[in-house]
Amino acid sequence: MVILSTPLSHNTLPTKLHGYPLQQLHLPLRISCSSAASRRVPKSEERSSGFKELRTVACGLLAVCAIATASPVIAANQRLPPLSTEPNRCERAFVGNTIGQANGVYDKPLDLRFCDYTNEKSNLKGKSLSAALMADAKFDGADMSEAVMSKAYAVGASFKGTDFSNAVLDRVNFKKANLQGAVFKNTVLSGSTFDDAQLEDAVFEDTIIGYIDLQKLCTNKTVSAEGRAELGCR
């Protein structure tokens, strides 16, 4: 059971909630979002409609915050977990994530850092590698068509000539990755970042990408003239 609680004061609350004067509540007030904790609320406050509404709103906000902070996406200033000591951690890519898929949820990290999958033509195709840690790994010449890499962390990885046709690569961090000659044919790239990535001769035929993400990608000077034409860069 998850228990969420937060202290509230007059400085963080409006003066009224649906017409109920909150000054009548004894603040600072702690809102607890569990059935056991709610039984400890004073009866005078529990019976008030304002208190009930306040608890509902506060618990809803806490739930949203809890879900957001539980995301496995690696932020720019967040430290990566230690390198996995699992003996066959690189082979886990051939199985992929069995839960979570595009949501990037996992029971344990899929740590593929420093692994070498050069010219792998069969075992990565169509695999779910959501939220995988791929920093400094090599996928040169690999067939990763139809793979799902949502929220993957691929900083500094090498994907020279990698086939990403029909793959889902949304929200991937490709910072400083080598993507020379990579094929993004009919590939979903929404939300992915390519800061300082090498994109010479990359193919972007029928790529699916949002307008804002497209504008950012078009600022990468390594994208070839043909690639810019395929993307529709101005």
Side-chain angles (χ1 to χ4, degrees):
M1 177 179 64
V2 177
I3 298 176
L4 301 173
S5 65
T6 183
L8 299 175
S9 64
H10 278 301
N11 293 332
T12 60
L13 294 174
T15 57
K16 291 186 178 182
L17 181 64
H18 293 279
Y20 183 85
L22 295 180
Q23 288 87 345
Q24 293 183 14
L25 296 178
H26 302 291
L27 299 178
L29 176 68
R30 181 169 293 274
I31 301 293
S32 297
C33 305
S34 69
S35 58
S38 63
R39 289 194 294 268
R40 296 194 296 268
V41 176
K43 294 296 182 181
S44 59
E45 292 183 353
E46 185 178 18
R47 283 192 296 266
S48 66
S49 59
F51 180 83
K52 291 180 180 178
E53 287 191 55
L54 178 60
R55 184 168 61 187
T56 300
V57 172
C59 291
L61 291 174
L62 283 169
V64 170
C65 293
I67 293 173
T69 55
S71 173
V73 176
I74 305 297
N77 59 349
Q78 185 176 351
R79 295 181 61 183
L80 295 174
L83 190 67
S84 172
T85 57
E86 186 177 351
N88 299 320
R89 66 179 181 85
C90 292
E91 282 73 13
R92 287 189 59 203
F94 302 148
V95 178
N97 283 331
T98 56
I99 64 172
Q101 299 179 1
N103 292 326
V105 180
Y106 48 67
D107 51 351
K108 63 179 178 179
L110 185 58
D111 195 346
L112 310 180
R113 287 174 289 181
F114 303 103
C115 294
D116 192 343
Y117 304 99
T118 301
N119 294 323
E120 176 55 63
K121 298 297 185 182
S122 58
N123 292 316
L124 296 174
K125 182 176 181 179
K127 293 298 187 296
S128 176
L129 305 175
S130 299
L133 301 177
M134 298 178 166
D136 299 300
K138 292 184 178 180
F139 296 86
D140 299 343
D143 184 353
M144 301 186 73
S145 58
E146 302 179 4
V148 177
M149 281 174 49
S150 301
K151 299 184 181 180
Y153 184 83
V155 172
S158 184
F159 298 93
K160 292 185 292 185
T162 302
D163 185 0
F164 288 115
S165 297
N166 302 308
V168 178
L169 310 182
D170 62 303
R171 296 163 290 176
V172 179
N173 189 341
F174 283 116
K175 183 176 181 180
K176 296 184 178 179
N178 190 332
L179 294 154
Q180 297 179 28
V183 178
F184 297 104
K185 184 176 181 180
N186 197 39
T187 304
V188 177
L189 292 176
S190 298
S192 293
T193 54
F194 297 86
D195 298 342
D196 300 318
Q198 300 177 53
L199 292 161
E200 293 90 347
D201 301 319
V203 177
F204 294 98
E205 183 180 348
D206 297 325
T207 296
I208 302 170
I209 186 171
Y211 179 77
I212 300 300
D213 301 319
L214 173 61
Q215 298 307 306
K216 293 179 181 179
L217 180 55
C218 288
T219 62
N220 189 309
K221 298 184 182 302
T222 66
V223 179
S224 66
E226 185 175 356
R228 294 179 65 83
E230 291 170 338
L231 288 168
C233 298
R234 298 178 179 179

